[in-house]
Amino acid sequence: EELMSPGYWVEHVRATVRFADAVAVLDGQDGVRRFLELGPDGVLVTLAQDCVTGEGRVFVPVLRRKGAESGSVVAAVAAVFAGGAAVDWSVFFPGVGRVELPTYAFEHRWYWPRVVGPEPVTGAGGEVDARFWEAVEREDLESLAGELELGEEVVGAVLPALTSWRRQSREQAELDRSRYRVEWQPLTDVSGSATLSGRWLVVEPAGLAEDAWTQAVLDALADRGAVVERFACAAVMDRAQLAEQLAGMASVAGVVSLLALSREVSGDGVPVGVSGSLALVQALGDAGVSAPLWTLTRGAVAVGRSDGAVDVSQGAVWGLGRVAALEASERWGGLVDLPAIIDRRVADRLVAVLAGVGVEDQVAVRASGVFGRRLERVRAGGGGGVWRPRGTVLVTGGTGALGARVARWAVEQGAGHVVLVSRRGLGAPGAVELREELAACGARVSVEACDVSERGAVEVLLAEYAVDAVVHAAGAVVNVPLGQVSVGELAGVWAGKVAGAVHLDAVLGDRVLDAFVVFSSVAGVWGSGGQAGYAAANAALDALVEARRVRGLVGTSVAWGPWAGSGMAAGAGAVEALRRRGLVALDPRWAVRALGQVVAGGDAVVVVADVEWGRFAPAYTSVRPSALLTALPEAHTA
């Protein structure tokens, strides 16, 4: 009766929430050790952990924002069970008996399921099915009519539908096999009592020496055993000067970089946090400092919805670090993202990560725990429908190989007007022919010469065209070893890929769009040798899209694997070299058809790559173990 009273709800809105008091009362009851949140995400259990001081409590959210609800509920049941609660497994697994496991060390007999591929289709039924679908793909009307004992006119009426369904099913299966995303896995083996020893060098950017957050990091290290030595960098960091200053630091036990937090931007448009982090990695190698380098960030990645917007330049530093892990593996520690407030628990967890948590080297520390970065396959089917371009679609890099394919696909799907943007406009090779080809299909075609790395040029462009969707496909691959990347090369990659996307996002503001798509790369997701600048730029694009999503705007970053033909993996030699490493080049025709479903799928950042994990995973982990791939069974097995 009280809950039905309007006065109760008025008081509910006006009065103090007293959430902490409520949790404390529950925690004080005998036997209350487990807290279960029945809500759309794990927000309250995160807060509840701050309200109790006792040991042995378990906090479990039933649902999570990302992933299927069924998976979240199963994870919740498992967490409650692991925390000591009784679970009636006979209801969860009806009709399944229990199997006793041996109490001695396993010998000669394998008790756990092996990860295997699908069984090959065999038997009469499989042969009949295969024969039938072969006839469908050949459009063999006579053979099908005889097999089905139907008239050719009857079979002919349904054959186009069967052929279309078969093709779409094959493409869907290929997309399901090739689509991945990044998730964050809670790490349970992080000790809160870890300590450090020896001298630790903390590299600080200009302007942050008196920053309270910086001081909290310094205190965290010093209070837990490290002898902290501070090293302040100039606003503009020169590799040679840095190496000279670091020459006497060879005996340090570890290096912690805060350079990613710099807010400065150099004259070439590259954030100093990115260029400085690159210069530091190079200079440490030049100076012979072999101690592990740990790069700390604040807001470079988002573990959950409560993290808010990610920082584009710090996201780029994570892309750079993934390449450093491959090319400078012997002196690389890892990447650690921290929250805005560093309390005692965060400090303990930070030191535990620096002291070593297995092979984890991409970690986010939060008040709720420590999380490791994982690559997972997107759930089959996607369930998001298909995005079909309409109205006016702007394509950057529109006269290049990738942009031209996107433009053709957009027109095929129904876009009435495509705006193709490149530095040379109609002066680019093949631009005039492309315009005529698209116009012949019935679309209005505008080709503009515009350098999108210049904000003023973008403002003029978007003042002329009211766009319904944007596809940012501009950019070029630069292959230079980490130790040889110059400031100019880094700036060139940044201008081509990141600056244009940043300006488009800023000038468009909160304008309602059907889609805002950026072409990213797997180099930014898991790193790629010889592509430090390229990986940083693509990771920045991923972060930009995640920041748009936090603002409530549309955005999709497609981290493509290599494309065959002209574009991301031009040349037969490059395609063959990638194949030997386990990366199979994507058919561009298939890729653009898959684009519509990827955009509609709902994820901010999606990896689309054809990976032979049996080849790729052993090569990827040959110089440095990685926890990134452990959530993919076939990669983990390899």
Side-chain angles (χ1 to χ4, degrees), residues 563-576:
W563 284 33
S566 300
M568 291 184 176
V575 169
E576 177 58 25

Side-chain angles (χ1 to χ4, degrees), residues 97-120:
R98 302 178 70 91
V99 176
E100 292 297 326
L101 294 179
T103 56
Y104 54 84
F106 291 3
E107 293 179 2
H108 307 302
R109 184 176 177 189
W110 191 263
Y111 282 86
W112 307 114
R114 293 184 183 274
V115 178
V116 296
E119 290 293 328

Side-chain angles (χ1 to χ4, degrees), residues 287-376:
V289 179
S290 59
L293 168 61
W294 291 90
T295 293
L296 306 192
T297 57
R298 183 179 62 209
V301 299
V303 173
R305 184 171 53 189
S306 60
D307 279 352
V310 299
D311 183 87
V312 173
S313 64
Q314 291 188 70
V317 173
W318 272 61
L320 181 69
R322 291 168 196 140
V323 176
L326 299 174
E327 293 197 60
S329 59
E330 71 286 353
R331 50 187 180 85
W332 180 252
L335 297 154
V336 185
D337 192 67
L338 298 174
I341 298 176
I342 301 179
D343 58 16
R344 177 185 55 80
R345 289 178 304 167
V346 171
D348 286 340
R349 291 164 179 162
L350 167 61
V351 169
V353 172
L354 298 180
V357 185
V359 296
E360 301 288 345
D361 61 2
Q362 297 183 52
V363 175
V365 177
R366 298 292 185 265
S368 57
V370 181
F371 301 84
R373 189 169 176 268
R374 298 291 186 270
L375 191 68
E376 296 182 353

Side-chain angles (χ1 to χ4, degrees), residues 122-497:
T122 57
E127 293 173 4
V128 171
D129 289 348
R131 203 164 54 239
F132 173 78
W133 288 114
E134 286 174 7
V136 168
E137 291 174 350
R138 293 195 312 269
E139 298 185 9
D140 187 347
L141 188 60
E142 181 179 354
S143 175
L144 287 169
E147 189 78 28
L148 298 174
E149 298 182 356
L150 294 172
E152 291 190 8
E153 68 281 358
V154 176
V155 177
V158 299
L159 183 57
L162 285 172
T163 304
S164 176
W165 181 88
R166 181 64 167 172
R167 178 183 58 79
Q168 292 175 7
S169 297
R170 285 185 178 278
E171 290 186 353
Q172 182 64 57
E174 186 175 353
L175 178 59
D176 290 341
R177 185 176 58 83
S178 305
R179 189 167 42 173
Y180 307 86
R181 64 178 164 221
V182 169
E183 295 288 355
W184 292 90
Q185 176 179 303
L187 304 180
T188 58
D189 55 347
V190 179
S191 170
S193 58
T195 59
L196 302 174
S197 61
R199 293 167 59 218
W200 280 72
L201 181 67
V202 178
V203 183
E204 307 168 23
L208 288 184
E210 305 303 322
D211 179 70
W213 191 88
T214 300
Q215 189 59 52
V217 171
L218 296 169
D219 291 343
L221 273 61
D223 293 346
R224 291 158 182 81
V227 178
V228 177
E229 188 164 338
R230 303 175 70 172
F231 182 88
C233 285
V236 178
M237 283 160 270
D238 178 77
R239 172 179 178 173
Q241 292 178 351
L242 271 177
E244 184 178 350
Q245 293 173 313
L246 292 168
M249 307 291 183
S251 61
V252 295
V255 181
V256 172
S257 170
L258 305 182
L259 296 181
L261 278 74
S262 173
R263 294 299 177 187
E264 301 290 332
V265 178
S266 60
D268 54 19
V270 180
V272 171
V274 180
S275 58
S277 296
L278 172 62
L280 178 63
V281 174
Q282 293 173 330
L284 287 169
D286 297 341
V289 179
S290 59
L293 168 61
W294 291 90
T295 293
L296 306 192
T297 57
R298 183 179 62 209
V301 299
V303 173
R305 184 171 53 189
S306 60
D307 279 352
V310 299
D311 183 87
V312 173
S313 64
Q314 291 188 70
V317 173
W318 272 61
L320 181 69
R322 291 168 196 140
V323 176
L326 299 174
E327 293 197 60
S329 59
E330 71 286 353
R331 50 187 180 85
W332 180 252
L335 297 154
V336 185
D337 192 67
L338 298 174
I341 298 176
I342 301 179
D343 58 16
R344 177 185 55 80
R345 289 178 304 167
V346 171
D348 286 340
R349 291 164 179 162
L350 167 61
V351 169
V353 172
L354 298 180
V357 185
V359 296
E360 301 288 345
D361 61 2
Q362 297 183 52
V363 175
V365 177
R366 298 292 185 265
S368 57
V370 181
F371 301 84
R373 189 169 176 268
R374 298 291 186 270
L375 191 68
E376 296 182 353
R377 188 170 266 111
V378 176
R379 181 172 58 87
V386 177
W387 169 57
R388 300 189 185 281
R390 63 172 186 87
T392 299
V393 179
L394 184 148
V395 183
T396 68
T399 59
L402 301 184
R405 288 189 180 276
V406 172
R408 293 186 183 100
W409 170 78
V411 170
E412 290 172 0
Q413 295 300 305
H417 181 200
V418 288
V419 182
L420 309 182
V421 178
S422 64
R423 282 194 173 96
R424 298 174 60 183
L426 283 173
V432 174
E433 293 81 1
L434 176 62
R435 181 184 63 177
E436 294 175 351
E437 174 191 340
L438 297 176
C441 296
R444 178 186 167 200
V445 184
S446 303
V447 182
E448 294 287 346
C450 173
D451 185 353
V452 293
S453 67
E454 299 290 338
R455 171 153 180 165
V458 175
E459 290 174 344
V460 172
L461 177 71
L462 292 177
E464 181 175 355
Y465 298 104
V467 301
D468 297 294
V470 172
V471 179
H472 180 55
V477 180
V478 177
N479 293 292
V480 181
L482 178 68
Q484 300 174 21
V485 179
S486 68
V487 175
E489 288 165 337
L490 180 62
V493 176
W494 191 267
K497 287 201 74 76

